[in-house]
Amino acid sequence: MPNPDDARLEEIRQLCGPLVDEQLKKGGEEGLTIATLRRWLVARKGDVKEAAKGLQAHAAWRAKYVPNGRVFPEEIKDELDQNKAFLPGFDKSGRPFCLVIVSRHHVKDAEASKRYIVYALDCATLLGSTKPGWDGKMSGIFDLRGLKASNCDLATLRNVFDLLQNHYPERLHTLWLYNAPVVFYGIYRLVYPFIDPVTREKVRFVYEKDAEAEFLAAFDREVLPSEICSKGTGRWITIKEQYDRLLTLQQQHQLHQQRHEQADPGVATLPPAQAQEGQQAEEQQQEAAGEAGLAPIAVVA
């Protein structure tokens, strides 16, 4: 039986045309896939014209903002040096899990911080694609313990939600704001009016007395560092470590696919490496990252 959404998705595709598909691919995305079209349709509450309009604006932005397909580490060196964001694995539903120690954020360059957010979201998206059956969403914890006024960055916080709503729609599942101090509420109140009501529902403030139960309900102990959850045994894996591993895996798959096609041109191309090799790579990554070992994160309660 035909899916009633199919006609609307095809209408969005027609409204966007080949230029949008080309721009998305230039910016490192997959193009006008069914999953992409559906995310924008859901994000724009079923309005076909608004979904197409949003996609067109995003594709033009992506092609200009990330003309080489991704943000490169040398573009965001100062941000990476702050050692503040980690991608240790997945939540219990198989969604990528990003952990940010906000007290390590230093307000320097709002544009560099924005590019860093794009880098992190792209990495999480790539990690998600390694998990068969991934629903396209991700979870996150912003650890706000020890936050000072000098860490509070209105422009960057606003960029987080602007990017999620206008360039990564329907990517966020849940964002926990852990132990938010009074100083954080000041900037959050300024950003709040610009956050879509649906996105607001995905943001959860959580404090010490409830945090462990909430986190253990959402994540396995093996993915939670002990500094975040006393029962956690997870390792600190930086965004860059995770991204480098995923890019290596992607390159290996491309070489394998090329050899496979050259050996037998009549055989259909293989599915993406991420889906085929993700499980083994995940184990290898856990071992390698653990041995590489980051120093324990000092968190001020």
Side-chain angles (χ1 to χ4, degrees):
M1 189 172 179
N3 187 326
D5 277 345
D6 289 349
R8 291 194 294 171
L9 297 180
E10 184 56 31
E11 187 178 350
I12 297 171
R13 189 194 302 278
Q14 294 300 320
L15 287 170
C16 288
L19 175 60
V20 168
D21 187 67
E22 179 184 329
Q23 288 174 323
L24 290 174
K25 290 175 179 175
K26 179 182 178 183
E29 297 189 2
E30 291 183 330
L32 292 175
T33 63
I34 293 296
T36 296
L37 294 166
R38 184 170 287 120
R39 284 192 300 106
W40 282 89
L41 181 63
V42 171
R44 297 304 180 257
K45 302 171 178 59
D47 188 318
V48 167
K49 290 183 179 179
E50 284 299 310
K53 181 180 175 182
L55 247 174
Q56 288 166 343
H58 165 67
W61 170 85
R62 184 82 197 187
K64 183 177 180 181
Y65 198 76
V66 196
N68 296 311
R70 65 184 176 93
V71 175
F72 287 82
E74 51 268 26
E75 300 176 57
I76 51 170
K77 184 180 182 304
D78 285 347
E79 295 291 313
L80 291 171
D81 287 347
Q82 291 175 30
N83 202 34
K84 60 191 173 185
F86 306 85
L87 200 59
F90 301 88
D91 67 16
K92 287 184 177 180
S93 297
R95 302 182 186 97
F97 160 45
C98 186
L99 174 57
V100 181
I101 308 297
V102 184
S103 63
R104 291 186 165 197
H105 173 67
H106 300 295
V107 183
K108 290 186 176 181
D109 182 342
E111 182 54 36
S113 293
K114 181 177 180 179
R115 296 190 75 79
Y116 180 68
I117 298 165
V118 170
Y119 179 87
L121 289 171
D122 283 353
C123 181
T125 300
L126 188 57
L127 179 63
S129 70
T130 69
K131 186 69 81 173
W134 179 46
D135 66 3
K137 299 189 178 184
M138 55 191 75
S139 297
I141 296 174
F142 281 9
D143 185 351
L144 298 166
R145 293 175 295 175
L147 192 75
K148 306 179 187 68
S150 60
N151 307 123
C152 293
D153 186 348
L154 176 61
T156 295
L157 185 62
R158 186 165 177 177
N159 279 334
V160 167
F161 290 104
D162 176 70
L163 286 165
L164 286 171
Q165 292 170 184
N166 295 312
H167 301 293
Y168 296 83
E170 288 301 302
R171 285 297 193 201
L172 179 64
H173 181 264
T174 306
L175 173 61
W176 283 271
L177 300 178
Y178 179 30
N179 258 32
V182 173
V183 67
F184 177 78
Y185 282 94
I187 64 167
Y188 189 71
R189 277 197 298 267
L190 295 174
V191 173
Y192 187 83
F194 301 97
I195 305 175
D196 182 89
V198 174
T199 303
R200 290 174 191 168
E201 294 299 314
K202 300 175 182 180
V203 178
R204 296 176 60 85
F205 284 84
V206 63
Y207 296 89
E208 293 283 356
K209 66 183 181 69
D210 302 313
E212 190 154 297
E214 283 211 31
F215 293 161
L216 288 173
F219 306 98
D220 290 321
R221 291 188 308 116
E222 293 75 18
V223 82
L224 288 168
S226 60
E227 292 88 348
I228 298 299
C229 174
S230 65
K231 296 180 180 178
T233 59
R235 301 181 177 98
W236 294 96
I237 302 170
T238 66
I239 298 286
K240 186 177 184 302
E241 284 181 294
Q242 190 69 265
Y243 214 159
D244 288 347
R245 182 192 72 84
L246 291 166
L247 290 171
T248 298
L249 178 62
Q250 192 177 61
Q251 290 167 359
Q252 290 171 347
H253 168 70
Q254 289 169 350
L255 287 172
H256 176 77
Q257 189 170 13
Q258 288 170 5
R259 290 169 185 157
H260 186 76
E261 291 170 358
Q262 289 168 0
D264 190 350
V267 176
T269 58
L270 299 174
Q274 295 91 330
Q276 289 292 311
E277 303 172 41
Q279 298 287 3
Q280 293 178 351
E282 187 181 335
E283 281 181 20
Q284 294 168 359
Q285 164 247 318
Q286 292 288 350
E287 289 177 13
E291 291 176 6
L294 291 172
I297 301 300
V299 178
V300 181

